[in-house]
Amino acid sequence: MKILVLGSGAREHAIIVSLLSEGAGHEVLAAPGNAGIGRVATLVDLDPNDPVAVTNFADDAGVNLVVIGPEAPLVAGVADRLRENGVPVFGPGRAAAQLEGSKAFAKRIMQAAGVPTGRALRAASLIEAEAALDELGAPYVVKADGLAAGKGVIVTEDRAAALAHAAEFLPQGALLIEEFLSGPEVSLFFVSDGHTVVPLSPAQDYKRALDDDEGPNTGGMGAYSPLPWLSTQFGGEEEFVAEVQRTVAEPVVRELANEQTPFIGLLYAGLILTDSGIRVIEFNARFGDPETQVVLPRLATPLSSLLFAAASGTLDEADAPRFALDTAVTVVLASEGYPEAPQTGRVITGLDAASAVDGVHIAHAATTQRGDELVASGGRVLSVVAVGTTFAESVERAYRAIGEIGLDGSHYRSDIAARVIEGN
Ligand code: AMP
Ligand code: GLY
């Protein structure tokens, strides 16, 4: 197949590595990609957020499948335009992508579909925000409605800080003040063709910048999969996945189909396992980053068949995805100053030595080639991925590899999957 992947991060690099690992001779193109992606796929100079440009390119180049990585092209309507022109595309249209683009829309769909989620109050002014904070009590959770690149949410015990956050984001529109939910977080992906839904394997993401979940929220500093503790806390991964499929994914996909905005693509359920059961904290309309980097290396069935079946409405006839029992861990290497003010343009060294570690590959998140040098071009720079038979093995490999990499001022968390090893 000729496959065009839109996006430029480690998630897209991981998707492409997975497609190429099938050994099916796919021709993979990426727009715009990055330096690491350019080593394995053909980079195309194309604005991924421009529906007309993407569709014209896909038509002219005879692309068989377009896979949309990030949310921006979804919200820009790239999938709608491709579908109107008969190009198979993995990614929801603009309307269904509101599940990620608007937290208020997501809450409405969850309510209509009877999906378990925290209580939320809408606040359109500071006075309403104060009333909502006092009604729900501390810890306070304040969320901006639209896409805010991970910066729209604050969780705090400090009422003044919650109000300051509300004041900052209110000019952009109404806020949601949410009930605080406590428990471990799980990211679970579902592939949907608009009607049929199939689950992938759960992962856990580390959202805070520093060890022990200190520091600001980020796009994600590391992840691991599977989640062995689901066996003790939930009776098993299979049971957990089946319950989320039945109580969350299927009702949401059914509701969106009923509203004539079918969800074709990746439904990302961000969940908290509270003492009173599973609750949805957010949906995304795309693969998660960095969770994808640990879910896809464990996928034992071809990714291209799965995504193509979803794009062409034939998921009910496709083979169910199967996962290897291996463990996978990723540790993100971030630029100095990330997430507030990342320093870019610095030289990266040591990638050959890092990649030579058994079971390791490096997904590039924000890299550019400058002559002979590879330089960092964003906040999250590399996602070092390691697989192994046990977490002790994959974690040791990931940290040995990241220790080989040089990037002035860079930082990473040193506790990814640490608690899983202690619990083993
Ligand atoms: P979101 O952008 O909605 O995923 O929120 C970012 C992070 O804030 C989540 O991964 C959680 O760690 C935290 N968070 C969001 N909503 C809640 C909530 N209702 N209760 C507790 N923590 C939350
Ligand atoms: N890792 C969180 C996200 O992809 O939104």
Side-chain angles (χ1 to χ4, degrees):
M1 266 200 278
K2 195 168 193 175
I3 307 173
L4 170 65
V5 177
L6 301 183
S8 64
R11 163 186 50 212
E12 287 75 22
H13 197 170
I15 290 170
I16 290 168
V17 165
S18 188
L19 292 169
L20 294 172
S21 74
E22 293 172 18
H26 299 310
E27 183 183 350
V28 181
L29 313 168
N34 61 37
I37 293 174
R39 292 175 188 178
V40 293
T42 307
L43 300 187
V44 184
D45 187 13
L46 181 66
D47 177 359
N49 299 325
D50 180 339
V52 174
V54 172
T55 305
N56 289 345
F57 175 84
D59 267 340
D60 292 348
V63 167
N64 307 108
L65 173 67
V66 178
V67 179
I68 302 184
E71 58 275 27
L74 302 172
V75 172
V78 171
D80 302 280
R81 178 91 191 187
L82 285 163
R83 234 170 253 127
E84 279 158 24
N85 284 268
V87 182
V89 50
F90 185 78
R94 188 204 305 254
Q98 287 302 305
L99 209 52
E100 169 165 3
S102 163
K103 291 191 188 287
F105 177 87
K107 282 282 179 198
R108 182 180 72 68
I109 295 293
M110 281 191 268
Q111 247 158 25
V115 168
T117 183
R119 244 186 104 199
L121 299 171
R122 186 173 177 277
S125 68
L126 267 185
I127 292 174
E128 284 179 11
E130 279 199 81
L133 290 173
D134 293 339
E135 180 168 344
L136 295 175
Y140 303 105
V141 181
V142 181
K143 297 189 175 183
D145 184 45
L147 293 175
K151 292 183 185 144
V153 178
I154 192 172
V155 181
T156 178
E157 293 278 352
D158 181 348
R159 189 171 178 279
L163 269 179
H165 187 81
E168 182 185 342
F169 282 93
L170 266 172
Q172 295 163 35
L175 305 170
L176 284 182
I177 313 287
E178 262 188 32
E179 167 193 8
F180 175 78
L181 301 168
S182 169
E185 287 184 41
V186 176
S187 305
L188 183 54
F189 301 164
F190 293 87
V191 171
S192 167
D193 67 359
H195 302 279
T196 302
V197 186
V198 302
L200 302 186
S201 181
Q204 191 167 52
D205 177 20
Y206 290 72
K207 288 217 166 78
R208 301 291 191 118
L210 308 174
D211 283 9
D212 300 320
D213 295 331
E214 302 281 344
N217 254 324
T218 70
M221 293 297 289
Y224 65 93
S225 175
L227 309 182
W229 48 267
L230 282 175
S231 306
T232 41
Q233 293 202 7
F234 214 88
E237 177 174 319
E238 252 179 67
E239 289 75 5
F240 171 79
V241 169
E243 179 167 338
V244 181
Q245 167 143 355
R246 184 174 55 77
T247 61
V248 176
E250 287 174 351
V252 163
V253 165
R254 207 179 304 129
E255 178 61 27
L256 287 168
N258 287 343
E259 298 194 9
Q260 310 305 320
T261 53
F263 190 96
I264 299 165
L266 197 291
L267 177 65
Y268 166 135
L271 307 162
I272 290 194
L273 277 53
T274 73
D275 289 342
S276 10
I278 298 168
R279 299 283 182 274
V280 174
I281 41 168
E282 66 161 345
F283 286 120
N284 292 315
R286 49 158 181 88
F287 279 102
D289 187 346
E291 295 96 318
T292 301
Q293 289 90 296
V294 290
V295 171
L296 292 186
R298 298 185 46 243
L299 180 64
T301 45
L303 178 64
S304 64
S305 316
L306 185 65
L307 303 187
F308 188 78
S312 48
T314 56
L315 210 46
D316 55 340
E317 297 159 21
D319 290 337
R322 278 183 294 104
F323 287 85
L325 294 176
D326 295 10
T327 67
V329 170
T330 188
V331 183
V332 171
L333 184 78
S335 291
E336 181 173 357
Y338 177 77
E340 289 91 356
Q343 301 292 315
T344 58
R346 293 183 183 163
V347 176
I348 304 162
T349 58
L351 285 197
D352 288 343
S355 310
V357 175
D358 265 350
V360 166
H361 77 264
I362 316 281
H364 289 228
T367 62
T368 318
Q369 202 70 40
R370 195 172 65 193
D372 288 344
E373 291 177 333
L374 186 70
V375 299
S377 53
R380 293 192 291 175
V381 180
L382 299 167
S383 188
V384 175
V385 183
V387 293
T389 36
T390 63
F391 276 109
E393 187 173 59
S394 49
V395 166
E396 189 275 327
R397 287 172 168 177
Y399 281 106
R400 184 146 46 94
I402 211 165
E404 298 285 351
I405 300 173
L407 171 62
D408 276 355
S410 61
H411 60 100
Y412 57 87
R413 278 183 66 152
S414 67
D415 62 348
I416 306 300
R419 261 176 273 154
V420 183
I421 298 176
E422 285 161 21
N424 270 353

